[in-house]
């Protein structure tokens, strides 16, 4: 019975981690046109004793910001350029799909463990 409980916990921790990842991807997409915005990334780590998944600290992508040419922009320098964001929509959409699929896989595992637990309880009641 503890194995099924542990399966529920593992799947739930995976869903929490992927939901947080999807939240940061959404923030990145929302700020694609925000001048000076650095893309947020999150890493995953496994807790040694339990195997549960947790997210590491949120980090800002330090790759260079895209130079935008718009002499009329209030943040433009003397040459007409200002710093855009370093968000790439293609990368963000791919990350969002991966996070969504990982979340769904964890949800399926959670549901399977829940159904098996319910079946065991039904057997024990007989």
């Amino acid at each position: 019975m503890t194995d099924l409980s542990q399966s529920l916990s593992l799947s739930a921790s995976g869903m929490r981690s992927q939901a947080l990842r999807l939240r940061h991807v959404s923030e990145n997409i929302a700020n694609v046109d925000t001048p000076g915005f650095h893309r947020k990334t999150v890493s995953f780590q496994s807790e040694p004793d339990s195997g549960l998944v947790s997210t590491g600290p949120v980090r800002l992508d330090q790759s260079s910001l895209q130079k935008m040419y718009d002499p009329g922009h209030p943040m433009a320098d003397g040459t007409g350029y200002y710093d855009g964001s370093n968000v790439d929509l293609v990368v963000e959409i791919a990350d969002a799909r991966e996070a969504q699929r990982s979340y769904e896989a964890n949800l399926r595992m959670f549901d399977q463990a829940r159904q098996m637990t319910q079946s065991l309880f039904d057997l024990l009641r007989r």
Side-chain angles (χ1 to χ4, degrees):
M1 191 64 145
T2 60
D3 289 339
L4 288 175
S5 297
Q6 187 176 7
S7 295
L8 289 168
S9 297
L10 289 170
S11 296
S13 72
M15 287 188 291
R16 272 192 303 275
S17 297
Q18 293 299 338
L20 181 65
R21 178 183 178 198
L22 196 52
R23 177 178 159 218
H24 291 300
V25 168
S26 299
E27 289 175 11
N28 291 342
I29 291 171
N31 287 292
V32 69
D33 292 326
T34 302
F37 182 81
H38 286 268
R39 171 179 188 259
K40 295 179 183 179
T41 61
V42 66
S43 62
F44 299 105
Q45 47 199 345
S46 176
E47 296 177 13
D49 297 334
S50 63
L52 297 175
V53 177
S54 62
T55 54
V58 176
R59 299 189 190 275
L60 297 179
D61 183 351
Q62 294 302 315
S63 63
S64 62
L65 298 173
Q66 184 178 8
K67 292 288 187 185
M68 307 296 290
Y69 181 73
D70 183 1
H73 194 278
M75 294 180 73
D77 60 14
T79 61
Y81 286 93
Y82 68 94
D83 289 334
S85 72
N86 63 355
V87 176
D88 182 351
L89 282 177
V90 174
V91 170
E92 298 304 323
I93 290 170
D95 282 353
R97 291 194 92 160
E98 183 180 356
Q100 178 185 2
R101 288 185 176 153
S102 295
Y103 184 93
E104 289 170 356
N106 278 295
L107 182 59
R108 278 187 239 113
M109 291 302 296
F110 185 89
D111 192 45
Q112 288 292 324
R114 185 190 56 76
Q115 288 176 9
M116 285 191 269
T117 303
Q118 185 62 47
S119 296
L120 280 175
F121 283 135
D122 290 346
L123 286 173
L124 292 173
R125 286 187 204 150
R126 289 184 187 178

